[in-house]
């Protein structure tokens, strides 16, 4: 493994080697290519294509959604919520994908701590046609600037989302 800088962790994925039942083989490059850094925060089917997509937090303040693909690398970064839209010194603490407004589009709830506060702030990014409000696609146009919400209440604990 290599060092990716502060707050960036390589994503190690191992599978048993075919030649030996006791050895492991690193398949990280096959899964992510050169984009193999960050912290796995959640799994979900963002594109509603029956493929499991991955939600990765990078640098504690950026969310990248990796969409599953049938060709290598098997996960490709497509949706990006950058730190520029959050208040200064925001640290993302969790990601909870789900349909929060009942429109059959996956939305993304993010929890964060702002300016080293012990309180939890909640952001919701509304899904719209396989993108998110204020998110940009890695190779295309951006999302709707009005498509997100910061709750005007802070919490002492992480929210538990149940359906």
């Amino acid at each position: 493994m290599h060092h990716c800088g502060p707050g960036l962790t390589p994503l190690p994925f191992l599978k048993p080697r075919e030649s030996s039942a006791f050895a492991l083989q690193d398949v990280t490059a096959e899964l992510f290519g050169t984009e193999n850094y960050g912290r796995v925060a959640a799994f979900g089917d963002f594109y509603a294509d029956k493929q499991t997509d991955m939600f990765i937090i990078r640098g504690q303040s950026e969310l990248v959604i990796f969409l599953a693909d049938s060709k290598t690398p098997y996960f490709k970064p497509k949706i990006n919520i950058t730190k520029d839209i959050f208040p200064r010194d925001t640290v993302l603490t969790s990601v909870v994908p789900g349909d929060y407004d009942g429109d059959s589009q996956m939305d993304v709830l993010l929890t964060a701590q702002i300016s080293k506060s012990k309180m939890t702030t909640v952001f919701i990014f509304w899904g719209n046609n396989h993108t998110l409000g204020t998110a940009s696609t890695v190779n295309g146009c951006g999302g709707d600037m009005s498509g997100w919400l910061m709750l005007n209440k802070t919490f002492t604990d992480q929210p538990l989302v149940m359906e």
Side-chain angles (χ1 to χ4, degrees):
M1 276 191 214
H2 63 292
H3 180 68
C4 295
L8 301 177
T9 308
L11 299 171
F13 285 87
L14 304 173
K15 72 174 185 178
R17 285 197 182 170
E18 294 176 16
S19 62
S20 172
F22 301 107
L24 295 176
Q25 177 181 354
D26 186 350
V27 294
T28 307
E30 289 176 53
L31 293 175
F32 299 101
T34 60
E35 297 288 327
N36 63 347
Y37 60 97
R39 185 179 76 212
V40 176
F43 298 93
D45 185 5
F46 187 77
Y47 260 25
D49 59 359
K50 301 193 182 344
Q51 300 282 338
T52 301
D53 304 315
M54 297 178 85
F55 296 72
I56 309 291
I57 295 175
R58 288 187 172 167
Q60 297 184 329
S61 59
E62 181 177 357
L63 176 70
V64 181
I65 302 175
F66 282 73
L67 301 180
D69 195 343
S70 59
K71 296 179 236 138
T72 61
Y74 295 110
F75 290 97
K76 295 179 174 68
K78 294 291 182 183
I79 309 296
N80 188 4
I81 298 176
T82 63
K83 65 181 179 181
D84 302 333
I85 65 166
F86 296 112
R88 188 182 176 126
D89 297 327
T90 296
V91 174
L92 298 179
T93 55
S94 71
V95 178
V96 187
D99 181 9
Y100 296 107
D101 57 2
D103 65 355
S104 299
Q105 299 280 320
M106 182 173 284
D107 308 312
V108 177
L109 182 147
L110 300 176
T111 62
Q113 292 179 327
I114 301 173
S115 299
K116 299 183 182 182
S117 169
K118 299 277 189 225
M119 302 298 285
T120 297
T121 301
V122 174
F123 299 89
I124 301 175
F125 292 84
W126 307 114
N128 183 12
N129 201 21
H130 303 304
T131 189
L132 292 172
T134 72
S136 62
T137 56
V138 174
N139 295 316
C141 56
D144 177 6
M145 292 302 285
S146 65
W148 66 286
L149 166 72
M150 179 174 140
L151 298 186
N152 60 1
K153 180 176 173 85
T154 56
F155 303 90
T156 55
D157 293 315
Q158 293 283 323
L160 174 62
V161 179
M162 297 176 66
E163 191 171 333

